[in-house]
Amino acid sequence: MKKWYLLFLCISYIGFSQELALVMLDGKYGYINKQGDIQIQPTFYDANSFSEGLASVKLDKKGQWGFINTKGEVVVEPAFERVKSFSQGLCVIFENKEWKYIDQKGDFVSSPDTHKIYEYQEGGVALISKYNKYGLTDINRKTIVEPTYNSIKDFEGGIAVAQTDMGAGAINQKGEIVVDFVYQKLYSFIDGFARAKKNDKWGIIDETGKVIVPFDYDDIGDYSNGVVWVKKVEEFGIVTDGVYTPILGATKMYDFMGEEYAMVKVVDKMGFIDRTGKWIIEPRFDKVKPFENGVAAVFENNAWGFMHSGGKFVIQPEYRDVLPFSKEGLAGVKKELWGFINKEGKLIVPTEYKVKTKIFGIKKKESSFVDGLVMIGKDKKWAFMKLDGTILGNKWFDKIELFQ
């Protein structure tokens, strides 16, 4: 039975490649495709974005929730008071004062031995709980780990930070201990590394518990490509490939976040250092934003502009606010409203729109364009704009959400 269920999941996931976006038109919800065509007519009183090929919809105000597929066909009849999204082929729904699981056909499946129902995570595991203790169950609702932990955080890359009375550590999706429970505090792993506190000092460990940066510091940032900022008493510095370098005068430091340069504050001014601790842009700006795609936004004379790592402006400060350059080479710029410029500073899209941005991942990087589209608003309507400044499908809506 287990093999057949996993096969069903694999076959189901093949159909998820088509991306649809939730839109509202004339007070009703529907969905459009990446060409801007209306794929599912706006006929629903309420609806949510697609997840694993299914979206929850509500036909009228007093109605129940059901699910449709990407063709708009009802595959799970509206019968539930509340629903969450499908994950790993199962969805948590609320019916008759009880949370339960259903499969993609709408059939109820057995619940694990738990006092509370949780959504499934990556790798087909879900939390279970009893008397404020937490464990794990697999996709077949078989207990992997009895509820013995004080807490278990979400899995990231197959690893979850957990807490016992003895301390914090980490487990994998089989419930095996991969990092011993010896830490006062342990943050979630990012790209295989985590901040950890032991004996009142901070360091960095990897997913096996190996110490990457020794526990010598009073504060520490997120480890990224071999470098991390640290604090000793009142002195800030960086550790690069195991070598400590003080950053004289620094009063606040920021993570490298996968980039070659990091923001540093000296009293009330900000600049940038490289991985060796060398200043590439001296701390002379009131505000700055992280480097992305080769340039950083800086605030000077009450306006934002863009500067490259050599310390020269590529876009002179003239804007009230800016968004980082996308990988396609466009940046959002704001005067009264938002528009977009290229890396030569040419205005590609006039500054006459509202813009919805997206925050991505644990590192919380802000982005405007996602897969070549940006959500823009004008005159209380919203649309998707393409890189050339044209409107996707030449259609405007009351509300829009990202493609899923």
Side-chain angles (χ1 to χ4, degrees), residues 154-379:
D154 289 343
F155 279 90
E156 298 283 349
I159 302 294
V161 172
Q163 183 80 35
T164 68
D165 291 337
M166 296 176 61
I171 58 176
N172 62 21
Q173 291 163 336
K174 296 179 181 179
E176 299 166 337
I177 295 173
V178 294
V179 175
D180 290 334
F181 288 81
V182 296
Y183 299 102
Q184 292 169 270
K185 192 163 187 178
L186 181 62
Y187 282 85
S188 294
F189 286 86
I190 301 175
D191 297 331
F193 303 96
R195 292 183 280 167
K197 189 177 185 180
K198 188 176 184 181
N199 298 326
D200 294 327
K201 294 292 182 180
W202 288 93
I204 298 291
I205 62 171
D206 68 12
E207 292 174 334
T208 68
K210 179 183 176 181
V211 176
I212 304 300
V213 176
F215 291 85
D216 295 335
Y217 303 101
D218 296 304
D219 201 359
I220 201 165
D222 284 324
Y223 191 78
S224 175
N225 294 337
V227 61
V228 63
W229 68 262
V230 295
K231 186 180 182 182
K232 280 186 174 182
V233 191
E234 296 301 321
E235 180 183 81
F236 283 94
I238 60 171
V239 176
T240 306
D241 299 326
V243 178
Y244 173 76
T245 302
I247 308 299
L248 301 180
T251 53
K252 187 172 182 180
M253 296 193 64
Y254 298 80
D255 294 324
F256 280 79
M257 296 195 299
E259 300 290 335
E260 289 297 309
Y261 313 111
M263 302 181 293
V264 179
K265 190 171 188 178
V266 178
V267 189
D268 60 351
K269 296 296 181 181
M270 297 190 69
F272 292 88
I273 60 170
D274 65 14
R275 287 167 45 90
T276 69
K278 177 185 176 182
W279 288 100
I280 61 159
I281 297 176
E282 294 291 332
R284 61 186 179 91
F285 298 103
D286 296 328
K287 292 182 280 188
V288 297
K289 296 186 179 185
F291 265 87
E292 288 194 45
N293 298 305
V295 294
V298 297
F299 190 74
E300 185 175 65
N301 298 326
N302 293 315
W304 286 95
F306 289 94
M307 181 172 280
H308 63 52
S309 59
K312 292 184 178 180
F313 279 104
V314 292
I315 309 293
Q316 291 295 324
E318 60 174 296
Y319 299 105
R320 292 179 58 180
D321 200 0
V322 294
L323 292 168
F325 274 93
S326 68
K327 62 182 180 180
E328 297 89 356
L330 295 182
V333 293
K334 183 179 183 181
K335 290 196 170 178
E336 292 300 320
L337 292 169
W338 289 91
F340 289 87
I341 60 172
N342 62 19
K343 285 194 173 182
E344 287 71 49
K346 181 181 178 181
L347 196 63
I348 304 300
V349 176
T351 52
E352 56 186 47
Y353 299 102
K354 296 179 179 178
V355 172
K356 282 187 178 181
T357 60
K358 172 69 176 176
I359 306 297
F360 282 97
I362 298 176
K363 297 176 183 177
K364 300 189 181 302
K365 287 192 173 184
E366 188 176 31
S367 180
S368 50
F369 276 92
V370 179
D371 295 331
L373 296 172
V374 62
M375 297 184 286
I376 54 125
K378 188 176 183 180
D379 299 328

Side-chain angles (χ1 to χ4, degrees), residues 131-150:
Y131 308 109
N132 295 319
K133 295 289 186 179
Y134 298 87
L136 295 175
T137 182
D138 68 14
I139 198 69
N140 295 298
R141 280 77 65 204
K142 179 181 177 181
T143 298
I144 303 171
V145 177
E146 294 291 342
T148 56
Y149 291 102
N150 296 343

Side-chain angles (χ1 to χ4, degrees), residues 340 348-350 353 369 372-376 383-392 396 400:
F340 289 87
I348 304 300
V349 176
Y353 299 102
F369 276 92
L373 296 172
V374 62
M375 297 184 286
I376 54 125
F384 291 95
M385 180 177 285
K386 297 188 288 186
L387 292 167
D388 61 4
T390 60
I391 301 302
L392 182 69
W396 291 81
I400 58 176

